[in-house]
């Protein structure tokens, strides 16, 4: 995917030229950093002393390459003189300047956006685009270019279409006619960029059109803010900061400009850093810090967690140490800008060593929904995921959640993979959706409306040399009951309950390969309660083509790259011991940050299966490692 901005060879030469032209010479090695200034902040920049003082506070704590100056938000349109003066100020500091627009009427009123059926508001939308394009050669739309309006005009215009169909068409047209075309008419050079928010499963409902807009706009941008997975309304899992970057990069390869993180709704400081890190682990070229005002907020001491005294990846006390500036002076960290700066410095040390992110290919058709955000839960269970908008027929194994039902030819495509000797894993949700729609042509399975409450798992094969044994989950889990025909398909992992049992992972032979069905708990969060051994068996199937995996409890994720580098990151509040399992060609692991070398061991003796002893030698090596709370380790395979 992205080539990181490596300053070597020609790149170094170009960099030197740019340095003389005022590009900040002391930026980060592997990515650019931008700060977004909403209209309210830009208005305040009209006061030169305010701007000078506050810019100094920010730029001494985090290295900034670029600033977005917003012209419009809610009822505010910043006057041209203020914008021009602010532009001059930043340009004189060697900072790249771009414009921004937020198409809201009143953000505080449930994100009230424009009505694109209303002639007056359409005119206003176009004028704002023209005004901004006249002032800047690059303009980004903050993530409110959607509509949730249900006024009488919208109801009438919708007609017999669904709201989704109506809004997809409405916003496609608005993007072309009111934003991009008028902007290019006043400034043919302008680069128009649309930034998408974090609720990607639901975009279509409010008219965000991921199928057409990335082609209409010159660039796209990704909201990677996941905030707190428990206490925020959306409950977005941490892994999403990585996966949504990948999904949007796969939608517009080379055109996903970067990731965007804010400081909101965090319970401990690591959560802020994790969002920045995962965005960069996905290969972001640029990070946008939202926003100028919030970068000035004092560092909240209550975000220092207990584990910060144990030298975790985000070391709160180290962050608070005075910063040495290039002119020899020191600055005492004071505001959130330092949290960003410190977090970014940590990962800039090694990002250049990583290759292209790789993972288990999963397919989420455009405008699809179903088992919303499930892929991120699997990512949190240690399964390296990759999400694509087109069916990834080349992959040896594909994972399909319920959202794949939006492809009317999905059953044929699954058959095509199996006939070609490739595996497919579908979820219980997709099985249910495809019942009566052709899936029975592959295997006669029924995902019933009955539920089972379970806490015991029975693994058919032994784990780490032990015979098959019962594993217990840490809490009761509600699952759908899947029924199958004896000797026609097979339980790979079962659950046991009151003398009964159901498949957790099920397999069916078809043509030259196997279809797997993974039972998804009613509450996806219960995947985190699956015993580590059960997660391992799922990974053995799903991750068989990757050279490395991590075995351990959930909430320890792995990020894998195509050049024998990988990152293991724990989101747990306590230290954890995990096993890294690699292909045998890899004899050693080197910890990129500490330099430590690790040797692997052969897995324990292969298990007995029935009466026949499996005699083939394992093709894996196992490395035992420990990870501190909310910390990552980076490895190079040797
Ligand atoms: Zn309306």
């Amino acid at each position: 995917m992205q080539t990181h901005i490596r300053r070597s060879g020609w790149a170094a030469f170009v960099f030197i030229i740019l340095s003389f032209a005022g590009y900040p010479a002391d930026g980060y090695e592997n990515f650019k950093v931008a700060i977004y200034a909403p209209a309210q902040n830009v208005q305040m920049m009209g006061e030169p002393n305010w701007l000078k003082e506050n810019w100094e506070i920010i730029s001494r704590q985090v290295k900034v390459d670029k600033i977005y100056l917003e012209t419009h938000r809610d009822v505010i349109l910043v006057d041209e003189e203020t914008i021009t003066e602010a532009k001059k100020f930043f340009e004189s500091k060697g900072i790249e300047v771009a414009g921004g627009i937020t198409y809201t009427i009143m953000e505080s009123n449930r994100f009230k956006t424009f009505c694109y059926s209303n002639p007056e508001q359409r005119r206003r939308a176009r004028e704002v685009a023209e005004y901004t394009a006249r002032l800047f050669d690059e303009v980004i739309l903050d993530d409110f270019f959607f509509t949730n309006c249900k006024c009488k005009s919208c109801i009438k215009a919708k007609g017999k279409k669904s709201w989704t169909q109506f809004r997809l068409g409405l916003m496609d047209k608005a993007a072309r006619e009111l934003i991009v075309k008028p902007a290019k008419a006043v400034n043919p050079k302008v680069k128009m960029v649309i930034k998408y928010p974090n609720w990607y499963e639901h975009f279509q409902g409010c008219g965000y059109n991921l199928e057409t807009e990335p082609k209409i706009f010159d660039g796209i941008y990704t909201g990677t803010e996941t905030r707190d997975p428990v206490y925020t309304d959306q409950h977005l899992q941490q892994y999403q900061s990585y996966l949504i970057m990948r999904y949007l990069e796969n939608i517009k390869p080379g055109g996903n400009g970067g990731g965007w993180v804010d400081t909101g709704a965090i319970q401990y400081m690591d959560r802020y850093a994790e969002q920045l890190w995962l965005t960069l682990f996905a290969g972001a070229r640029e990070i946008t810090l939202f926003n100028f005002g919030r970068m000035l907020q004092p560092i909240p001491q209550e975000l220092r967690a207990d584990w910060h005294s144990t030298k975790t990846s985000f070391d709160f006390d180290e962050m608070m140490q005075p910063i040495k500036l290039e002119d020899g002076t020191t600055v005492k960290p004071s505001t959130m800008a330092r949290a960003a700066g410190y977090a970014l410095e940590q990962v800039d040390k090694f990002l250049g060593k990583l290759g292209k992110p790789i993972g288990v290919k999963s397919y989420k058709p455009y405008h699809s929904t179903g088992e919303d955000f499930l892929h991120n839960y699997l990512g949190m269970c240690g399964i390296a995921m990759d999400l694509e908008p087109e069916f990834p027929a080349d992959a040896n194994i594909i994972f399909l959640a319920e959202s794949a039902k939006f492809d009317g030819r999905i059953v044929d495509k699954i058959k095509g993979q199996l006939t070609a000797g490739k595996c497919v894993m579908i979820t219980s949700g997709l099985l249910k959706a495809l019942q009566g729609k052709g899936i029975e042509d592959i295997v006669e399975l029924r995902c019933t409306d009955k539920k089972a409450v379970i806490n015991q798992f029975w693994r058919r094969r032994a784990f780490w040399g032990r015979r098959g044994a019962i594993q217990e989950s840490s809490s009761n889990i509600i699952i759908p009951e899947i029924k199958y025909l004896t000797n026609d398909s097979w339980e790979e992992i079962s659950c046991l309950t009151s003398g009964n049992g159901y498949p957790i992972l099920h397999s069916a032979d078809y043509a030259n390969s196997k279809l797997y069905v993974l039972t998804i708990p009613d509450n996806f969060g219960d995947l985190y309660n699956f015993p580590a051994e059960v997660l391992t068996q799922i990974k053995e199937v799903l991750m068989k083509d990757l050279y490395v995996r991590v075995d351990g409890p959930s909430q320890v994720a792995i990020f894998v790259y195509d050049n024998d580098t990988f990152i293991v990151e724990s989101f747990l509040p306590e230290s954890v011991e995990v096993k890294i399992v690699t292909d045998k060609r890899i004899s050693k692991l080197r910890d990129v940050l500490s330099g430590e070398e690790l040797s692997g061991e052969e897995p324990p003796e292969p298990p007995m299966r029935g009466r026949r002893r499996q005699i083939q030698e394992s093709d894996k090596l196992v490395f035992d490692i420990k990870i501190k709370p909310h910390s990552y380790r980076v490895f190079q395979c040797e």
Side-chain angles (χ1 to χ4, degrees):
M1 179 188 56
Q2 294 94 328
T3 34
H4 290 294
I5 310 161
R6 288 198 190 95
R7 285 165 188 167
S8 58
W10 276 102
F13 178 71
V14 172
F15 174 67
I16 290 162
I17 301 291
L18 287 171
S19 304
F20 286 121
Y23 189 89
D26 58 349
Y28 300 100
E29 284 283 319
N30 298 291
F31 50 88
K32 290 204 293 188
V33 173
I35 293 185
Y36 192 90
Q40 292 88 336
N41 290 166
V42 180
Q43 271 187 323
M44 290 167 87
M45 291 176 184
E47 170 55 56
N49 285 334
W50 184 90
L51 177 54
K52 187 171 173 287
E53 278 170 26
N54 287 307
W55 173 247
E56 204 156 278
I57 292 171
I58 292 174
S59 60
R60 286 177 161 199
Q61 300 184 90
V62 57
K63 298 169 183 175
V64 184
D65 303 272
K66 181 173 178 179
I67 182 112
Y68 290 102
L69 299 174
E70 188 179 82
T71 57
H72 178 275
R73 178 175 293 246
D74 293 355
V75 288
I76 298 168
L77 184 74
V78 185
D79 67 84
E80 188 168 340
E81 193 192 336
T82 301
I83 293 173
T84 310
E85 288 304 310
K87 257 177 82 175
K88 271 191 211 156
F89 173 85
F90 288 108
E91 280 165 359
S92 75
K93 307 278 178 197
I95 303 296
E96 195 182 331
V97 184
I101 302 172
T102 294
Y103 278 110
T104 46
I105 301 285
M106 198 197 285
E107 199 180 342
S108 58
N109 180 16
R110 294 198 165 177
F111 304 129
K112 187 170 167 49
T113 60
F114 279 50
C115 167
Y116 293 90
S117 304
N118 176 316
E120 173 55 27
Q121 291 189 28
R122 287 174 67 88
R123 188 180 58 79
R124 178 80 174 157
R126 195 190 67 235
E127 283 172 1
V128 171
E130 288 166 344
Y131 176 68
T132 313
R134 201 155 48 73
L135 296 169
F136 299 96
D137 288 337
E138 181 182 350
V139 176
I140 193 167
L141 308 189
D142 188 8
D143 52 24
F144 292 91
F145 188 61
F146 67 87
T147 184
N148 47 13
C149 185
K150 283 189 177 171
C151 72
K152 282 181 183 167
S153 317
C154 282
I155 292 172
K156 188 158 177 257
K158 169 185 159 315
K160 289 203 163 68
K161 290 179 186 163
S162 69
W163 282 107
T164 291
Q165 286 169 332
F166 165 64
R167 287 171 175 167
L168 280 173
L170 183 71
M171 296 311 288
D172 171 282
K173 264 183 100 172
R176 289 171 206 270
E177 293 170 7
L178 306 179
I179 312 297
V180 177
K181 199 173 157 198
K184 302 248 180 198
V186 298
N187 179 1
K189 276 194 302 186
V190 73
K191 180 185 179 191
M192 297 300 288
V193 179
I194 181 166
K195 181 233 165 177
Y196 288 103
N198 53 21
W199 35 283
Y200 65 94
E201 293 273 7
H202 306 145
F203 281 176
Q204 59 279 0
C206 291
Y208 265 128
N209 194 326
L210 273 183
E211 189 170 14
T212 62
E213 285 169 352
K215 297 183 185 86
I216 298 169
F217 287 86
D218 301 300
I220 60 173
Y221 216 91
T222 312
T224 55
E225 58 274 36
T226 43
R227 309 186 186 114
D228 189 273
V230 179
Y231 297 107
T232 55
D233 291 343
Q234 293 173 300
H235 309 289
L236 300 176
Q237 303 305 295
Q238 296 93 321
Y239 193 79
Q240 187 180 322
S241 292
Y242 170 88
L243 194 62
I244 189 175
M245 272 301 294
R246 293 290 309 144
Y247 186 47
L248 268 67
E249 179 66 25
N250 289 332
I251 286 176
K252 193 173 172 74
N256 182 12
W260 175 303
V261 175
D262 63 37
T263 56
I266 46 172
Q267 307 282 322
Y268 43 89
M269 193 62 97
D270 314 62
R271 191 70 279 275
Y272 178 54
E274 286 163 357
Q275 297 172 68
L276 297 168
W277 294 340
L278 266 66
T279 304
L280 290 164
F281 293 170
R285 306 165 178 87
E286 182 177 286
I287 284 277
T288 290
L289 303 172
F290 188 86
N291 60 43
F292 195 90
R294 293 195 198 170
M295 285 296 113
L296 293 167
Q297 286 174 347
I299 295 169
Q301 290 299 313
E302 64 271 22
L303 295 184
R304 186 189 186 281
D306 295 343
W307 55 77
H308 286 150
S309 51
T310 64
K311 300 262 173 219
T312 49
S313 289
F314 190 97
D315 185 333
F316 197 98
D317 302 334
E318 191 178 78
M319 170 188 70
M320 294 305 290
Q321 294 303 307
I323 313 153
K324 281 200 188 92
L325 298 181
E326 280 181 3
D327 63 5
T329 57
T330 56
V331 175
K332 198 174 169 326
S334 57
T335 71
M336 282 301 286
R338 187 57 200 145
Y342 176 76
L344 295 171
E345 284 159 24
Q346 301 307 307
V347 293
D348 194 36
K349 293 171 192 163
F350 62 82
L351 284 171
K353 294 184 165 54
L354 307 177
K356 177 181 182 287
I358 52 176
V360 178
K361 295 281 186 192
S362 187
Y363 167 48
K364 181 179 149 48
Y366 291 112
H367 321 312
S368 64
T369 181
E371 292 178 327
D372 304 355
F373 303 105
L374 174 67
H375 301 91
N376 301 304
Y377 288 85
L378 294 174
M380 291 298 287
C381 288
I383 296 165
M385 298 299 294
D386 202 11
L387 201 51
E388 304 221 0
E390 308 289 346
F391 190 82
D394 289 345
N396 281 325
I397 182 150
I398 297 176
F399 176 83
L400 299 173
E402 189 191 340
S403 49
K405 72 185 178 188
F406 276 73
D407 182 334
R409 296 191 50 241
I410 193 67
V411 173
D412 285 343
K413 288 179 182 175
I414 294 172
K415 276 187 196 169
Q417 294 301 107
L418 299 174
T419 308
K422 297 167 181 174
C423 292
V424 178
M425 186 184 287
I426 67 171
T427 61
S428 45
L430 183 59
L431 169 65
K432 188 155 195 181
L434 297 179
Q435 279 171 189
K437 295 190 174 156
I439 193 78
E440 51 282 342
D441 217 22
I442 297 173
V443 58
E444 291 174 277
L445 286 177
R446 286 159 294 150
C447 184
T448 70
D449 290 329
K450 291 186 176 175
K451 305 291 180 189
V453 178
I454 60 158
N455 76 344
Q456 292 188 328
F457 293 78
W458 173 253
R459 202 191 141 134
R460 297 281 144 183
R461 288 195 283 126
F463 176 76
W464 300 122
R466 295 198 298 277
R467 294 294 192 93
I470 289 174
Q471 308 290 340
E472 295 205 343
S473 56
S474 46
S475 71
N476 284 336
I477 298 174
I478 300 174
I479 57 155
E481 294 180 4
I482 290 179
K483 299 288 171 63
Y484 61 98
L485 303 179
T486 299
N487 288 339
D488 178 58
S489 61
W490 305 91
E491 292 186 26
E492 302 279 341
I493 309 172
S494 315
C495 64
L496 306 177
T497 175
S498 305
N500 216 328
Y502 304 97
I504 293 295
L505 184 64
H506 201 74
S507 78
D509 292 329
Y510 185 82
N512 306 322
S513 191
K514 274 186 169 57
L515 176 75
Y516 291 91
V517 180
L518 180 64
T519 300
I520 303 296
D522 278 17
N523 177 351
F524 303 164
D526 276 334
L527 285 167
Y528 300 165
N529 295 323
F530 276 20
E533 293 80 358
V534 170
L535 295 177
T536 288
Q537 196 170 355
I538 297 167
K539 288 171 202 167
E540 280 175 351
V541 175
L542 262 185
M543 296 180 72
K544 65 179 178 164
D545 280 350
L546 294 176
Y547 60 85
V548 63
R549 67 168 203 261
V550 59
D551 282 353
S554 64
Q555 302 182 74
V556 179
I558 188 165
F559 305 95
V560 185
Y561 301 88
D562 68 350
N563 66 341
D564 282 355
T565 57
F566 65 94
I567 301 168
V568 182
E569 177 159 5
S570 170
F571 299 93
L572 293 167
E574 63 274 327
S575 285
V576 62
E577 285 174 14
V578 296
K579 292 177 191 298
I580 304 292
V581 182
T582 69
D583 286 351
K584 213 172 189 175
R585 69 173 174 83
I586 292 157
S587 57
K588 277 184 179 164
L589 295 182
R590 193 164 48 78
D591 183 315
V592 169
L593 294 172
S594 70
E596 183 193 350
E597 278 210 345
L598 288 88
S599 302
E601 285 182 6
E602 300 253 350
E605 206 176 310
M608 304 280 278
R609 182 185 252 178
R611 264 181 275 150
R612 276 187 303 123
R613 190 178 177 93
Q614 284 186 320
I615 45 166
Q616 84 263 29
E617 226 180 290
S618 169
D619 54 358
K620 300 289 182 191
L621 274 189
V622 180
F623 301 78
D624 292 304
I625 67 159
K626 198 169 172 179
I627 309 178
K628 288 179 180 171
H630 291 279
S631 292
Y632 57 77
R633 293 183 69 176
V634 188
F635 294 101
Q636 170 81 57
C637 303
E638 287 173 358

